[in-house]
Amino acid sequence: MKYSGIGGQAVIEGIMMQNGENYAVAVRKPDGEIEVKKDTYRSVTKKYPFLGIPFIRGVFKFADSMIVGMRALTWSCSFFEDDEDAKESRFEQWLDKVFGEKLEGILMTVVMIFSFIMAIGIFMLLPMFISNICKKVIPSHTVMAILEGFIRIAIFVIYIKMVSRMEDIKRTFMYHGSEHKCINCIEQGMDLTVENVRKSSRQHKRCGTSFLFFVMIVSIIFCFFITAQSQIARVLIRLALLPVIAGVSYEIIKLAGNSENPFVNLLSRPGMWVQNMTTKEPDDDMIEVGIRAVEAVFDWKNWQKENL
């Protein structure tokens, strides 16, 4: 399989596809029509090349994906807002007056920061506090590190299982499947048609789900070397190591996406397994949305001619 360089994300009733600095969001509107929006985003690693150094770039690439993803998600949500004619509250009117056109960007930033803090609390710190309950009966630091790792993975899997029961999330996971299937269809050298996309795999080694799973695994390895006795010190060290963990995880997922080495493929399997939960088989309407998003930013025919 040849690396095409495109990636994407599922949004509300749609898909975002990105190719370099260009990205497009395709959304199936309530009236059944597909709306496509094209835009550009210049990565911070392009603006400041020294931030593109391996093991450093991962943090900034993750931030870039969060920003583009939130922009795409916000735009897709605009088609499904409830009660658009409802009168704004005094607080909303005050926010509009104070921040004006900057309000949407500020709210997006606040949501991103809050989400990041919650993720750290749930997936990084909570497992440590839960594992500490067993500290009196498990004196071995190695066993405690492994236990914390298993708890972290268990929380991650349980969280995905719980959210996947929500109807809106189920449909988002179906669009996630459509995104993967479109990319796999192109990279396998097939024409980008509904029939070919339907036959393609919904698993992909460059998926964000696999990245998060690698973050879990890499964090377990790093925790072996945290020997501080103070609980506050252990928390601070974990927080300080987050950029390093993200950087290492990014290099692994980048290697996995560009290699067919049997050992690399073996490393990718756990993340691919987790994708069985975060992707579902899409219907043809969802596949059509994915195709529209791809074709808005990527000349797949020319790419196949030059690379396959």
Coordinates of all heavy atoms in Angstrom, one line a residue, residues 105-185:
G105 N -13.8 31.8 17.9 CA -12.4 31.3 18.1 C -12.1 31.1 19.6 O -11.4 30.2 19.9
I106 N -12.6 32.1 20.4 CA -12.3 32.0 21.8 C -13.0 30.7 22.4 O -12.4 30.0 23.2 CB -12.8 33.3 22.5 CG1 -11.9 34.5 22.1 CG2 -12.8 33.1 24.1 CD1 -12.4 35.8 22.6
L107 N -14.3 30.5 22.1 CA -15.0 29.4 22.6 C -14.3 28.1 22.1 O -14.3 27.1 22.9 CB -16.5 29.4 22.1 CG -17.3 30.5 22.7 CD1 -18.7 30.5 22.1 CD2 -17.5 30.4 24.2
M108 N -13.9 28.0 20.9 CA -13.2 26.8 20.4 C -11.9 26.6 21.2 O -11.7 25.4 21.5 CB -12.9 27.0 18.9 CG -12.3 25.8 18.3 SD -12.0 26.0 16.5 CE -10.7 27.2 16.4
T109 N -11.2 27.6 21.5 CA -10.0 27.5 22.3 C -10.3 27.0 23.7 O -9.6 26.1 24.2 CB -9.2 28.8 22.4 OG1 -8.9 29.3 21.1 CG2 -7.9 28.7 23.2
V110 N -11.3 27.5 24.3 CA -11.7 27.1 25.7 C -12.1 25.6 25.7 O -11.7 24.9 26.6 CB -12.9 28.0 26.2 CG1 -13.4 27.4 27.5 CG2 -12.4 29.4 26.4
V111 N -12.9 25.2 24.7 CA -13.3 23.8 24.6 C -12.1 22.9 24.4 O -12.1 21.8 25.0 CB -14.3 23.6 23.4 CG1 -14.6 22.1 23.1 CG2 -15.6 24.3 23.7
M112 N -11.2 23.3 23.6 CA -10.0 22.5 23.3 C -9.2 22.3 24.6 O -8.7 21.2 24.9 CB -9.1 23.1 22.2 CG -9.7 22.9 20.8 SD -8.6 23.8 19.6 CE -7.0 23.0 19.9
I113 N -9.0 23.4 25.3 CA -8.2 23.4 26.6 C -8.9 22.5 27.6 O -8.3 21.7 28.3 CB -8.0 24.8 27.1 CG1 -7.1 25.6 26.2 CG2 -7.4 24.7 28.5 CD1 -6.9 27.1 26.5
F114 N -10.2 22.7 27.7 CA -11.0 21.9 28.7 C -11.0 20.4 28.3 O -10.8 19.6 29.2 CB -12.5 22.4 28.7 CG -13.4 21.6 29.6 CD1 -13.3 21.7 31.0 CD2 -14.2 20.6 29.1 CE1 -14.1 21.0 31.8 CE2 -15.1 19.9 29.9 CZ -15.0 20.1 31.3
S115 N -11.1 20.1 27.1 CA -11.0 18.7 26.6 C -9.7 18.1 26.9 O -9.6 16.9 27.3 CB -11.4 18.6 25.1 OG -12.6 19.1 24.8
F116 N -8.6 18.8 26.7 CA -7.3 18.4 26.9 C -7.0 18.1 28.4 O -6.5 17.0 28.8 CB -6.3 19.4 26.4 CG -4.8 18.9 26.5 CD1 -4.4 17.9 25.7 CD2 -3.9 19.6 27.3 CE1 -3.1 17.4 25.7 CE2 -2.6 19.2 27.3 CZ -2.2 18.1 26.5
I117 N -7.5 19.0 29.2 CA -7.4 18.8 30.7 C -8.1 17.6 31.2 O -7.7 16.8 32.0 CB -7.8 20.1 31.4 CG1 -6.9 21.3 31.2 CG2 -7.9 19.8 32.9 CD1 -7.3 22.6 31.7
M118 N -9.4 17.4 30.7 CA -10.2 16.3 31.0 C -9.5 15.0 30.6 O -9.5 14.0 31.3 CB -11.6 16.4 30.4 CG -12.5 17.4 31.1 SD -12.8 17.1 32.8 CE -13.8 15.6 32.6
A119 N -8.9 15.0 29.4 CA -8.3 13.8 28.9 C -7.1 13.4 29.8 O -6.9 12.2 30.1 CB -7.8 14.0 27.4
I120 N -6.3 14.4 30.2 CA -5.2 14.1 31.0 C -5.6 13.6 32.4 O -5.1 12.6 32.9 CB -4.3 15.4 31.3 CG1 -3.7 15.9 30.0 CG2 -3.3 15.2 32.4 CD1 -3.0 17.2 30.0
G121 N -6.7 14.2 32.9 CA -7.2 13.7 34.2 C -7.7 12.3 34.2 O -7.4 11.5 35.1
I122 N -8.5 12.0 33.1 CA -9.1 10.7 33.0 C -8.2 9.6 32.6 O -8.2 8.5 33.2 CB -10.3 10.7 32.1 CG1 -11.4 11.6 32.6 CG2 -10.9 9.3 31.8 CD1 -12.5 11.9 31.6
F123 N -7.3 9.8 31.6 CA -6.5 8.8 31.1 C -5.1 8.7 31.6 O -4.4 7.7 31.4 CB -6.5 8.9 29.5 CG -7.9 8.8 28.9 CD1 -8.4 9.8 28.2 CD2 -8.6 7.6 29.0 CE1 -9.7 9.7 27.7 CE2 -9.9 7.5 28.5 CZ -10.4 8.6 27.8
M124 N -4.6 9.8 32.2 CA -3.2 9.8 32.7 C -3.2 9.8 34.2 O -2.4 9.0 34.8 CB -2.5 11.0 32.2 CG -2.3 11.0 30.7 SD -1.3 9.7 30.1 CE 0.3 10.0 30.8
L125 N -3.9 10.6 34.9 CA -3.8 10.7 36.4 C -4.7 9.8 37.1 O -4.3 9.2 38.1 CB -4.1 12.2 36.8 CG -3.2 13.2 36.2 CD1 -3.5 14.6 36.7 CD2 -1.7 12.9 36.4
L126 N -6.0 9.6 36.6 CA -6.9 8.7 37.3 C -6.3 7.3 37.5 O -6.4 6.7 38.5 CB -8.2 8.7 36.6 CG -9.3 7.7 37.2 CD1 -9.7 8.2 38.6 CD2 -10.6 7.8 36.3
P127 N -5.7 6.7 36.4 CA -5.1 5.3 36.6 C -4.1 5.3 37.7 O -4.0 4.3 38.4 CB -4.5 5.0 35.2 CG -5.3 5.9 34.3 CD -5.6 7.1 35.0
M128 N -3.3 6.3 37.8 CA -2.3 6.4 38.8 C -2.9 6.3 40.2 O -2.5 5.6 41.1 CB -1.4 7.6 38.7 CG -0.3 7.7 39.7 SD 0.5 9.3 39.7 CE -0.7 10.3 40.7
F129 N -4.0 7.1 40.4 CA -4.6 7.2 41.7 C -5.3 5.9 42.0 O -5.3 5.4 43.2 CB -5.6 8.3 41.8 CG -5.0 9.7 41.7 CD1 -5.4 10.7 40.8 CD2 -4.0 10.0 42.7 CE1 -4.8 11.9 40.8 CE2 -3.4 11.3 42.6 CZ -3.8 12.2 41.7
I130 N -5.9 5.2 41.0 CA -6.6 3.9 41.3 C -5.6 2.9 41.6 O -5.8 2.1 42.6 CB -7.4 3.5 40.0 CG1 -8.5 4.5 39.8 CG2 -7.9 2.1 40.2 CD1 -9.3 4.2 38.5
S131 N -4.4 2.8 40.9 CA -3.4 1.8 41.2 C -2.8 2.0 42.5 O -2.3 1.1 43.2 CB -2.3 1.9 40.1 OG -1.6 3.1 40.1
N132 N -2.7 3.3 43.0 CA -2.2 3.5 44.3 C -2.9 2.8 45.5 O -2.3 2.6 46.6 CB -2.1 5.1 44.6 CG -0.9 5.7 43.9 OD1 0.0 5.1 43.5 ND2 -1.0 7.0 43.8
I133 N -4.2 2.5 45.2 CA -4.9 1.8 46.2 C -4.3 0.4 46.6 O -4.4 -0.1 47.7 CB -6.4 1.5 45.7 CG1 -7.1 2.9 45.5 CG2 -7.2 0.7 46.7 CD1 -8.4 2.8 44.8
C134 N -3.6 -0.1 45.6 CA -3.0 -1.5 45.7 C -1.5 -1.4 46.2 O -0.8 -2.4 46.3 CB -3.0 -2.2 44.4 SG -4.7 -2.4 43.7
K135 N -1.1 -0.2 46.4 CA 0.4 0.0 46.7 C 0.8 -0.7 48.0 O 1.9 -1.2 48.1 CB 0.7 1.5 46.8 CG 2.2 1.8 46.8 CD 2.4 3.3 46.7 CE 3.9 3.6 46.7 NZ 4.2 5.1 46.6
K136 N -0.1 -0.8 49.0 CA 0.3 -1.4 50.2 C 0.5 -2.9 50.1 O 1.3 -3.5 50.9 CB -0.8 -1.1 51.3 CG -0.8 0.4 51.7 CD -1.8 0.6 52.8 CE -1.9 2.1 53.2 NZ -2.9 2.4 54.3
V137 N -0.2 -3.5 49.2 CA -0.1 -5.0 49.0 C 0.8 -5.4 47.8 O 1.1 -6.5 47.7 CB -1.5 -5.6 48.8 CG1 -2.4 -5.4 50.1 CG2 -2.2 -5.0 47.6
I138 N 1.2 -4.4 47.0 CA 2.1 -4.6 45.9 C 3.3 -3.7 46.0 O 3.3 -2.6 45.5 CB 1.4 -4.4 44.5 CG1 0.1 -5.2 44.4 CG2 2.3 -4.8 43.4 CD1 -0.7 -5.0 43.2
P139 N 4.3 -4.2 46.7 CA 5.5 -3.4 46.9 C 6.4 -3.2 45.6 O 7.1 -2.2 45.6 CB 6.3 -4.1 48.0 CG 5.9 -5.6 47.8 CD 4.5 -5.5 47.3
S140 N 6.2 -4.0 44.6 CA 7.1 -4.0 43.4 C 6.7 -2.8 42.6 O 5.6 -2.6 42.1 CB 7.0 -5.3 42.6 OG 7.6 -5.1 41.4
H141 N 7.7 -1.9 42.3 CA 7.5 -0.8 41.4 C 7.1 -1.2 40.0 O 6.3 -0.6 39.3 CB 8.7 0.1 41.4 CG 8.7 1.1 40.3 ND1 7.9 2.3 40.4 CD2 9.3 1.2 39.1 CE1 8.1 3.0 39.3 NE2 8.9 2.4 38.5
T142 N 7.7 -2.3 39.5 CA 7.5 -2.8 38.2 C 6.0 -3.3 38.0 O 5.4 -3.0 37.1 CB 8.4 -4.0 37.8 OG1 9.8 -3.5 37.9 CG2 8.2 -4.5 36.4
V143 N 5.6 -4.0 39.0 CA 4.2 -4.6 39.0 C 3.2 -3.4 39.0 O 2.2 -3.4 38.3 CB 4.0 -5.6 40.1 CG1 2.5 -6.0 40.2 CG2 4.9 -6.8 40.0
M144 N 3.5 -2.4 39.9 CA 2.6 -1.2 40.0 C 2.6 -0.5 38.7 O 1.5 0.0 38.3 CB 3.1 -0.3 41.1 CG 2.9 -0.8 42.5 SD 1.1 -0.8 42.9 CE 0.7 0.9 42.8
A145 N 3.7 -0.4 38.0 CA 3.7 0.3 36.7 C 2.9 -0.4 35.6 O 2.1 0.2 34.8 CB 5.1 0.5 36.2
I146 N 3.0 -1.8 35.6 CA 2.2 -2.6 34.7 C 0.7 -2.5 35.1 O -0.1 -2.4 34.2 CB 2.7 -4.1 34.8 CG1 4.1 -4.2 34.2 CG2 1.7 -5.0 34.0 CD1 4.7 -5.5 34.4
L147 N 0.4 -2.5 36.4 CA -1.0 -2.4 36.8 C -1.6 -1.1 36.4 O -2.7 -1.0 35.8 CB -1.1 -2.6 38.3 CG -2.5 -2.4 38.9 CD1 -3.4 -3.4 38.4 CD2 -2.4 -2.4 40.5
E148 N -0.9 0.0 36.6 CA -1.3 1.3 36.1 C -1.6 1.3 34.6 O -2.6 1.9 34.2 CB -0.3 2.4 36.5 CG -0.8 3.8 36.1 CD 0.3 4.8 36.5 OE1 1.1 4.6 37.4 OE2 0.3 5.9 35.8
G149 N -0.7 0.7 33.9 CA -0.9 0.7 32.4 C -2.1 -0.1 32.0 O -2.9 0.4 31.2
F150 N -2.4 -1.2 32.7 CA -3.6 -2.0 32.4 C -4.8 -1.2 32.7 O -5.8 -1.3 32.0 CB -3.6 -3.4 33.1 CG -2.8 -4.4 32.3 CD1 -1.6 -4.9 32.8 CD2 -3.3 -4.9 31.1 CE1 -0.9 -5.9 32.2 CE2 -2.6 -5.9 30.4 CZ -1.4 -6.4 31.0
I151 N -4.8 -0.5 33.8 CA -6.0 0.3 34.3 C -6.2 1.4 33.2 O -7.3 1.7 32.9 CB -5.7 0.9 35.7 CG1 -5.7 -0.2 36.7 CG2 -6.8 1.9 36.0 CD1 -5.3 0.3 38.1
R152 N -5.1 2.0 32.7 CA -5.2 3.1 31.8 C -5.9 2.6 30.5 O -6.8 3.2 29.9 CB -3.9 3.7 31.5 CG -3.9 4.8 30.4 CD -2.5 5.5 30.3 NE -2.2 6.2 31.5 CZ -1.1 5.8 32.3 NH1 -0.3 4.8 31.9 NH2 -0.8 6.5 33.4
I153 N -5.4 1.4 30.0 CA -6.0 0.9 28.8 C -7.5 0.5 29.0 O -8.3 0.7 28.1 CB -5.2 -0.4 28.3 CG1 -3.8 0.1 27.9 CG2 -5.8 -1.1 27.2 CD1 -2.8 -1.0 27.6
A154 N -7.7 -0.1 30.2 CA -9.1 -0.5 30.5 C -10.1 0.7 30.5 O -11.2 0.6 30.0 CB -9.2 -1.2 31.8
I155 N -9.6 1.8 31.1 CA -10.5 3.0 31.1 C -10.7 3.5 29.7 O -11.8 3.9 29.3 CB -9.8 4.1 32.0 CG1 -9.8 3.7 33.5 CG2 -10.5 5.5 31.8 CD1 -9.0 4.7 34.4
F156 N -9.7 3.5 28.9 CA -9.8 3.9 27.5 C -10.8 3.1 26.7 O -11.7 3.6 26.0 CB -8.4 3.8 26.8 CG -8.3 4.3 25.4 CD1 -8.6 5.5 25.0 CD2 -7.9 3.4 24.4 CE1 -8.6 6.0 23.7 CE2 -7.9 3.8 23.1 CZ -8.2 5.1 22.7
V157 N -10.7 1.8 26.9 CA -11.6 0.9 26.1 C -13.0 1.0 26.7 O -14.0 1.1 25.9 CB -11.1 -0.6 26.3 CG1 -12.2 -1.6 25.7 CG2 -9.8 -0.8 25.6
I158 N -13.2 1.1 28.0 CA -14.5 1.3 28.6 C -15.2 2.6 28.1 O -16.4 2.6 27.8 CB -14.5 1.2 30.1 CG1 -14.1 -0.2 30.5 CG2 -15.8 1.6 30.7 CD1 -13.8 -0.4 32.0
Y159 N -14.3 3.6 28.1 CA -14.8 4.9 27.6 C -15.4 4.9 26.2 O -16.5 5.3 25.9 CB -13.7 6.0 27.7 CG -14.1 7.3 27.1 CD1 -14.8 8.2 27.8 CD2 -13.6 7.6 25.8 CE1 -15.2 9.4 27.2 CE2 -13.9 8.8 25.2 CZ -14.7 9.7 25.9 OH -15.0 10.9 25.3
I160 N -14.6 4.2 25.3 CA -15.0 4.1 23.9 C -16.3 3.3 23.8 O -17.2 3.6 23.1 CB -13.9 3.4 23.1 CG1 -12.7 4.4 22.9 CG2 -14.4 3.1 21.7 CD1 -11.5 3.8 22.2
K161 N -16.4 2.2 24.6 CA -17.6 1.3 24.6 C -18.8 2.1 25.1 O -19.9 2.0 24.5 CB -17.3 0.1 25.5 CG -16.5 -1.0 24.9 CD -17.3 -1.8 23.9 CE -16.6 -3.0 23.5 NZ -17.4 -3.8 22.4
M162 N -18.6 2.9 26.1 CA -19.8 3.7 26.6 C -20.3 4.8 25.6 O -21.5 4.9 25.4 CB -19.4 4.4 27.9 CG -19.2 3.4 29.1 SD -18.6 4.2 30.6 CE -20.0 5.3 30.9
V163 N -19.3 5.5 25.0 CA -19.8 6.6 24.1 C -20.3 6.0 22.8 O -21.2 6.6 22.2 CB -18.6 7.6 23.8 CG1 -18.1 8.3 25.1 CG2 -17.5 6.9 23.1
S164 N -19.9 4.8 22.5 CA -20.3 4.2 21.2 C -21.8 3.8 21.3 O -22.4 3.5 20.2 CB -19.5 3.0 20.8 OG -19.6 2.0 21.8
R165 N -22.4 3.8 22.5 CA -23.8 3.5 22.6 C -24.7 4.7 22.3 O -25.9 4.5 22.1 CB -24.1 3.0 24.1 CG -23.4 1.7 24.4 CD -23.6 1.3 25.8 NE -23.0 0.0 26.2 CZ -23.6 -1.2 26.0 NH1 -24.8 -1.2 25.5 NH2 -23.0 -2.3 26.3
M166 N -24.1 5.9 22.3 CA -24.9 7.1 21.9 C -25.2 7.1 20.4 O -24.3 6.8 19.6 CB -24.1 8.3 22.4 CG -23.8 8.3 23.9 SD -22.6 9.6 24.3 CE -23.5 11.1 23.8
E167 N -26.4 7.4 20.1 CA -26.8 7.3 18.7 C -26.0 8.3 17.8 O -25.5 7.9 16.7 CB -28.3 7.7 18.5 CG -28.9 7.4 17.2 CD -28.8 6.0 16.8 OE1 -28.9 5.1 17.6 OE2 -28.5 5.7 15.6
D168 N -25.7 9.5 18.2 CA -24.9 10.4 17.4 C -23.5 9.9 17.2 O -22.9 10.1 16.2 CB -24.9 11.8 18.1 CG -26.3 12.5 18.0 OD1 -27.1 12.1 17.1 OD2 -26.5 13.5 18.7
I169 N -23.0 9.3 18.3 CA -21.6 8.8 18.2 C -21.5 7.6 17.3 O -20.6 7.4 16.5 CB -21.1 8.4 19.6 CG1 -21.0 9.7 20.5 CG2 -19.7 7.8 19.5 CD1 -20.1 10.8 20.0
K170 N -22.6 6.8 17.3 CA -22.6 5.6 16.4 C -22.5 6.1 14.9 O -21.8 5.5 14.1 CB -23.9 4.9 16.6 CG -24.0 4.0 17.8 CD -25.3 3.2 17.9 CE -25.4 2.4 19.1 NZ -26.7 1.7 19.2
R171 N -23.3 7.1 14.6 CA -23.2 7.7 13.2 C -21.9 8.3 12.9 O -21.4 8.2 11.8 CB -24.4 8.7 13.0 CG -25.7 8.0 13.0 CD -26.8 9.0 12.6 NE -26.6 9.5 11.2 CZ -26.9 8.9 10.1 NH1 -27.4 7.7 10.2 NH2 -26.7 9.4 8.9
T172 N -21.3 9.0 13.9 CA -19.9 9.5 13.7 C -18.9 8.4 13.5 O -18.0 8.6 12.6 CB -19.5 10.4 15.0 OG1 -20.5 11.4 15.2 CG2 -18.2 11.0 14.7
F173 N -19.0 7.3 14.2 CA -18.1 6.2 14.0 C -18.4 5.6 12.6 O -17.4 5.1 12.0 CB -18.3 5.1 15.0 CG -17.7 5.5 16.4 CD1 -17.9 4.6 17.5 CD2 -17.0 6.6 16.5 CE1 -17.4 4.9 18.7 CE2 -16.4 6.9 17.8 CZ -16.6 6.1 18.8
M174 N -19.6 5.6 12.0 CA -19.8 5.2 10.7 C -19.1 6.1 9.7 O -18.5 5.6 8.7 CB -21.3 5.1 10.4 CG -22.0 4.0 11.2 SD -23.9 4.1 11.1 CE -24.1 3.5 9.4
Y175 N -19.2 7.4 9.9 CA -18.5 8.3 9.0 C -17.0 8.1 9.2 O -16.2 8.3 8.2 CB -18.9 9.8 9.4 CG -20.2 10.2 8.7 CD1 -21.3 10.4 9.4 CD2 -20.2 10.5 7.4 CE1 -22.5 10.8 8.8 CE2 -21.3 11.0 6.7 CZ -22.5 11.1 7.5 OH -23.7 11.5 6.9
H176 N -16.5 7.8 10.4 CA -15.1 7.5 10.6 C -14.7 6.3 9.7 O -13.6 6.3 9.1 CB -14.9 7.2 12.1 CG -13.4 7.1 12.4 ND1 -13.0 6.5 13.6 CD2 -12.3 7.5 11.8 CE1 -11.7 6.6 13.7 NE2 -11.2 7.1 12.6
G177 N -15.6 5.3 9.7 CA -15.3 4.2 8.8 C -15.3 4.5 7.4 O -14.4 4.1 6.6
S178 N -16.2 5.4 6.9 CA -16.2 5.9 5.6 C -14.9 6.6 5.2 O -14.3 6.5 4.1 CB -17.4 6.8 5.3 OG -17.3 7.4 4.0
E179 N -14.4 7.4 6.1 CA -13.1 8.2 5.9 C -12.0 7.2 5.7 O -11.2 7.3 4.7 CB -12.8 9.0 7.2 CG -11.5 9.7 7.1 CD -10.7 9.6 8.4 OE1 -11.4 9.6 9.5 OE2 -9.5 9.5 8.4
H180 N -11.9 6.2 6.5 CA -10.8 5.2 6.3 C -10.9 4.4 5.0 O -10.0 4.2 4.3 CB -10.8 4.2 7.5 CG -10.2 4.7 8.8 ND1 -10.0 3.9 9.9 CD2 -9.9 6.0 9.1 CE1 -9.5 4.7 10.8 NE2 -9.4 5.9 10.4
K181 N -12.2 4.0 4.7 CA -12.4 3.2 3.5 C -12.1 4.0 2.3 O -11.5 3.4 1.3 CB -13.9 2.7 3.5 CG -14.1 1.7 4.6 CD -15.6 1.4 4.8 CE -16.2 0.4 3.8 NZ -15.8 -0.9 4.1
C182 N -12.4 5.3 2.3 CA -12.0 6.1 1.1 C -10.5 6.2 0.9 O -10.0 6.0 -0.2 CB -12.6 7.5 1.3 SG -14.4 7.6 1.0
I183 N -9.8 6.4 2.0 CA -8.3 6.5 1.9 C -7.7 5.1 1.5 O -6.8 5.0 0.6 CB -7.7 6.9 3.2 CG1 -8.2 8.4 3.5 CG2 -6.2 6.9 3.2 CD1 -7.8 8.9 4.9
N184 N -8.2 4.0 2.1 CA -7.7 2.7 1.7 C -8.0 2.4 0.3 O -7.2 1.8 -0.4 CB -8.4 1.7 2.6 CG -7.7 1.6 4.0 OD1 -6.5 1.7 4.1 ND2 -8.5 1.4 5.0
C185 N -9.2 2.8 -0.2 CA -9.6 2.5 -1.6 C -8.5 3.2 -2.6 O -8.1 2.5 -3.5 CB -10.9 3.1 -1.9 SG -11.5 2.9 -3.6

